[in-house]
Amino acid sequence: MKKTIIYMSLFTCSFLFTGCGFYSFTGASIPANVKTFQVNRFENNALLVEPGLERDFKLALEDLIQNQTNLNLVTSNGDLVYEGEITDYRISPTTATSENTAAQNRLTISVKIRFYNRKKEDDDLDQSFSFFYDYAANAQLVGSTKTTAHEEIFERITQDIFNATLAKW
């Protein structure tokens, strides 16, 4: 009787694990034949150019994909290829005070992504992503404020890119 229970338990567990197929805990649905990814250089085509922004964005996207999948980062011939450009880097007032001055400013960053799945071309994507960070109008966008703004915006945009290309959300 004990053997039967053990065998049934093992059978049930093996069925559950094989039923999960190629899904991960992050929601990524990556086919077994996809092993590598590459992130090409992003051009900074925004009117207001922030030096090093394209490098920081590329690294943030690479880190997110490496942390949420078991794909290997390569510099060429990746199964999945990400490329694009930063199309907007803009600071604008969002709310006003009774004296008609800005009470809050908003930094907005927009990125256009081209995604190529060399194993399944139907998954290719050409889409823009954007997010913002609000900060007090009396604060300057320098130092830790700028670092925090970039990190929060990159976290949201890279997760949106991940969801659109790998999680299919």
Side-chain angles (χ1 to χ4, degrees):
M1 182 68 172
K2 271 187 169 179
K3 273 188 171 182
T4 305
I5 292 172
I6 291 172
Y7 287 131
M8 291 298 283
S9 297
L10 287 173
F11 175 75
T12 303
C13 287
S14 67
F15 178 72
L16 288 173
F17 287 125
T18 58
C20 292
F22 306 112
Y23 293 94
S24 71
F25 290 112
T26 61
S29 177
I30 303 170
N33 64 340
V34 174
K35 304 285 186 211
T36 61
F37 78 99
Q38 75 184 62
V39 179
N40 293 336
R41 184 177 185 277
F42 278 75
E43 293 291 325
N44 191 343
N45 295 331
L47 292 177
L48 179 60
V49 175
E50 177 65 30
L53 190 71
E54 65 279 359
R55 179 202 64 231
D56 295 344
F57 180 78
K58 178 183 184 294
L59 294 174
L61 183 58
E62 288 173 350
D63 288 347
L64 180 104
I65 295 169
Q66 285 181 312
N67 290 336
Q68 294 192 11
T69 70
N70 60 356
L71 297 174
N72 295 313
L73 176 64
V74 295
T75 56
S76 62
N77 297 319
D79 297 328
L80 306 177
V81 179
Y82 293 85
E83 64 183 28
E85 57 264 352
I86 297 169
T87 57
D88 195 19
Y89 186 93
R90 177 177 16 118
I91 300 169
S92 56
T94 58
T95 57
T97 66
S98 59
E99 292 85 36
N100 286 331
T101 60
Q104 207 172 32
N105 286 328
R106 174 172 286 177
L107 170 64
T108 303
I109 299 177
S110 300
V111 178
K112 183 174 175 78
I113 285 285
R114 287 178 299 282
F115 169 75
Y116 305 101
N117 183 338
R118 293 191 172 148
K119 302 291 184 176
K120 187 178 177 189
E121 290 181 9
D122 290 345
D123 287 350
D124 289 359
L125 179 74
D126 189 343
Q127 185 175 338
S128 293
F129 296 88
S130 184
F131 201 67
F132 61 89
Y133 178 82
D134 292 338
Y135 61 97
N138 61 356
Q140 294 292 316
L141 191 61
V142 295
S144 64
T145 304
K146 182 170 71 172
T147 300
T148 301
H150 289 177
E151 287 173 356
E152 286 191 27
I153 292 170
F154 288 170
E155 182 180 334
R156 179 60 181 265
I157 292 176
T158 57
Q159 189 64 55
D160 287 349
I161 291 168
F162 179 87
N163 291 343
T165 59
L166 296 175
K168 306 291 189 264
W169 291 2

